[in-house]
């Protein structure tokens, strides 16, 4: 080192990644990855749960009056409010409807809570409400109750929404990770990464040769078509925050089985692949809002795949992997070059505020 070159001040360096031992909430705690799981399991669940807390799934199964119901709640803080292919109003309906559908339930009713920031334009609120109503109609659900609150200017991003939903689970349907066994086939309903990249392109004013639109859509009809083939599906999951990688890891951890994914079999549209390459993202970790991943017994896989491809929401469905007895609780991807890599649960999230 020359006499004119100052030594770097390492004490002033900071790590851009969220650290697990931070005493305050960071954005990664809302990303659906390892930080989210730690916050829920170590802080929230012990404060709320009894000696046998319910499984941490997107919707709870409860018995009431002899019927099995799925109950779910979700909050939506996406920025921007409107994006290619949808809006916060569409997300508020489809996100909760899809969580119910992943339990095999037929979504029936929703509640809607609006949190509005002082100063937001009434026309904006009207557009959000209209989108929400249209999405509910398309999903075949009714919004039956709700609430509205207003917070001071500077304490929100225009509009936040909370929706809760209830659906009826048909007899004979039992979808849970504990049913996953070696030999199960892993199927994804279509192309991944569209929603997250659509949000990022709008947020950062990025333009690509082909406009990338969110896949935001209700999945209840697709699930009904799959269950009509066989009620013996083992587990369903919609890979939203944390993307396909997070969903596969959560299922592997809960089932204690290993999952092998053929990387080239995962349907990634060329525009999404190009955008992810440019932004330094892995498509398997990018959020989706209109896709599902299914673990199905091998003997039913062909029939279920055919039923999915016959439905508009599953036209691009593909087998992407299988469940194995090796490396229990882990997800491994086989690359196009013949190697393997571990697909970890993300720590935080690549794209914050995407739902």
């Amino acid at each position: 080192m020359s006499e004119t070159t100052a030594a770097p001040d390492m004490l002033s360096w900071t790590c851009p990644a969220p650290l697990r031992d931070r005493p305050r909430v960071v954005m990664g705690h809302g990303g659906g990855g390892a930080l989210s799981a730690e916050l829920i399991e170590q802080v929230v669940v012990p404060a709320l749960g009894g000696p046998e807390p319910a499984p941490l799934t997107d919707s709870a199964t409860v018995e009431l009056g002899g019927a099995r119901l799925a109950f779910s709640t979700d909050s939506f803080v996406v920025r921007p409010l409107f994006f290619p292919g949808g809006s916060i109003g569409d997300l508020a309906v489809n996100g909760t409807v899809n969580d119910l559908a992943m339990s095999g339930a037929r979504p029936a009713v929703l509640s809607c809570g609006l949190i509005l920031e002082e100063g937001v334009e009434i026309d904006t609120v009207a557009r959000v409400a209209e989108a929400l109503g249209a999405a509910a109609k398309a999903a075949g659900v009714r919004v039956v109750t709700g609430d509205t609150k207003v917070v001071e200017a500077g304490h929100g991003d225009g509009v936040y929404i909370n929706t809760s939903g209830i659906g009826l689970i048909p007899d004979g349907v039992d979808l849970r990770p504990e049913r996953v066994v070696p030999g199960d086939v892993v199927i994804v309903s279509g192309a991944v990464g569209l929603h997250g990249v659509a949000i990022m392109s709008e947020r950062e004013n990025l333009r690509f040769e082909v406009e990338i639109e969110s896949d935001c859509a209700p999945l209840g009809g697709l699930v009904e078509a799959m269950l009509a083939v066989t009620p013996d599906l083992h587990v369903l999951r919609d890979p939203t925050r944390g993307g396909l990688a997070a969903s596969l890891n959560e299922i592997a951890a809960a089932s204690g089985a290993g999952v092998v994914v053929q990387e080239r079999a995962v349907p990634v549209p060329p525009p999404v692949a190009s955008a992810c390459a440019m932004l330094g993202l892995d498509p398997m970790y990018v959020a989706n809002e209109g896709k599902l991943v299914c673990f199905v017994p091998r003997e039913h896989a062909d029939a279920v795949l055919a039923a999915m491809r016959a439905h508009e929401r599953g036209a691009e469905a593909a087998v992407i992997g299988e469940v194995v007895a090796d490396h229990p609780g882990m997800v491994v991807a086989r690359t196009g070059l013949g190697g393997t890599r571990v697909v970890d649960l993300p720590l935080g999230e690549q794209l914050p505020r995407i739902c």
Side-chain angles (χ1 to χ4, degrees):
M1 181 180 295
S2 67
E3 294 181 359
T4 60
T5 303
D9 180 9
M10 295 186 180
L11 293 179
S12 67
W13 288 10
T14 59
C15 177
L19 302 178
R20 295 186 182 215
D21 59 352
R22 285 192 177 184
R24 299 181 186 275
V25 171
V26 296
M27 289 300 295
H29 282 115
L35 285 174
S36 293
E38 290 174 1
L39 179 67
I40 293 169
E41 293 170 4
Q42 297 176 18
V43 178
V44 179
V45 169
L48 300 180
E52 296 181 1
L56 298 178
T57 55
D58 287 339
S59 63
T61 299
V62 296
E63 301 226 359
L64 187 64
R68 280 198 309 152
L69 303 177
F71 176 59
S72 183
T73 188
D74 206 344
S75 299
F76 300 88
V77 295
V78 65
R79 179 173 59 85
L81 298 178
F82 305 93
F83 46 84
S87 70
I88 191 172
D90 301 283
L91 283 176
V93 171
N94 294 330
T96 296
V97 163
N98 291 345
D99 284 347
L100 296 172
M102 295 308 104
S103 295
R106 296 189 182 99
V109 295
L110 298 179
S111 70
C112 174
L114 297 175
I115 301 174
L116 309 177
E117 182 183 15
E118 179 186 23
V120 65
E121 295 181 356
I122 296 297
D123 284 349
T124 297
V125 179
R127 286 181 63 195
V128 169
E130 289 167 1
L132 193 150
K137 183 177 180 180
V141 296
R142 294 182 300 132
V143 179
V144 295
T145 189
D147 182 49
T148 303
K149 293 291 190 297
V150 177
V151 298
E152 296 88 347
H155 290 263
D157 281 328
V159 180
Y160 296 151
I161 303 178
N162 172 273
T163 49
S164 297
I166 297 174
L168 181 66
I169 302 175
D171 292 337
V173 174
D174 183 18
L175 299 175
R176 48 193 174 89
E178 292 78 9
R179 298 193 63 216
V180 170
V181 295
D184 282 359
V185 174
V186 183
I187 304 173
V188 68
S189 65
V192 301
L194 290 164
H195 177 71
V197 173
I199 293 292
M200 180 56 70
S201 63
E202 186 70 13
R203 188 182 295 174
E204 302 300 332
N205 197 29
L206 302 176
R207 293 294 176 262
F208 306 101
E209 291 184 4
V210 178
E211 183 178 51
I212 300 173
E213 292 189 352
S214 170
D215 59 349
C216 183
L219 297 173
L222 175 61
V223 172
E224 286 194 28
M226 297 164 67
L227 291 174
V229 172
T230 174
D232 190 28
L233 305 179
H234 284 172
V235 69
L236 299 175
R237 192 65 56 88
D238 58 330
T240 53
R241 293 179 306 169
L244 183 60
S247 292
L248 294 176
N249 271 278
E250 290 166 3
I251 294 169
S255 66
V259 177
V260 175
V261 175
Q262 301 295 333
E263 197 168 55
R264 283 190 173 177
V266 178
V268 180
V272 170
S274 298
C276 286
M278 184 181 74
L279 298 170
L281 305 176
D282 184 337
M284 288 188 65
Y285 290 88
V286 178
N288 313 271
E289 286 293 343
K291 299 297 186 298
L292 63 80
V293 61
C294 173
F295 285 58
V296 59
R298 186 170 297 277
E299 61 267 27
H300 300 309
D302 288 343
V304 170
L305 180 63
M308 294 173 72
R309 287 177 171 172
H311 192 279
E312 62 175 334
R313 302 296 182 203
E316 298 178 336
V319 173
I320 62 169
E322 63 181 337
V323 179
V324 297
D326 298 333
H327 50 78
M330 292 179 59
V331 180
V332 172
R334 290 182 179 154
T335 69
L337 298 176
T340 60
R341 67 182 180 96
V342 175
V343 180
D344 287 324
L345 184 69
L347 181 62
E349 74 180 319
Q350 299 184 53
L351 305 174
R353 301 282 299 280
I354 47 80
C355 66

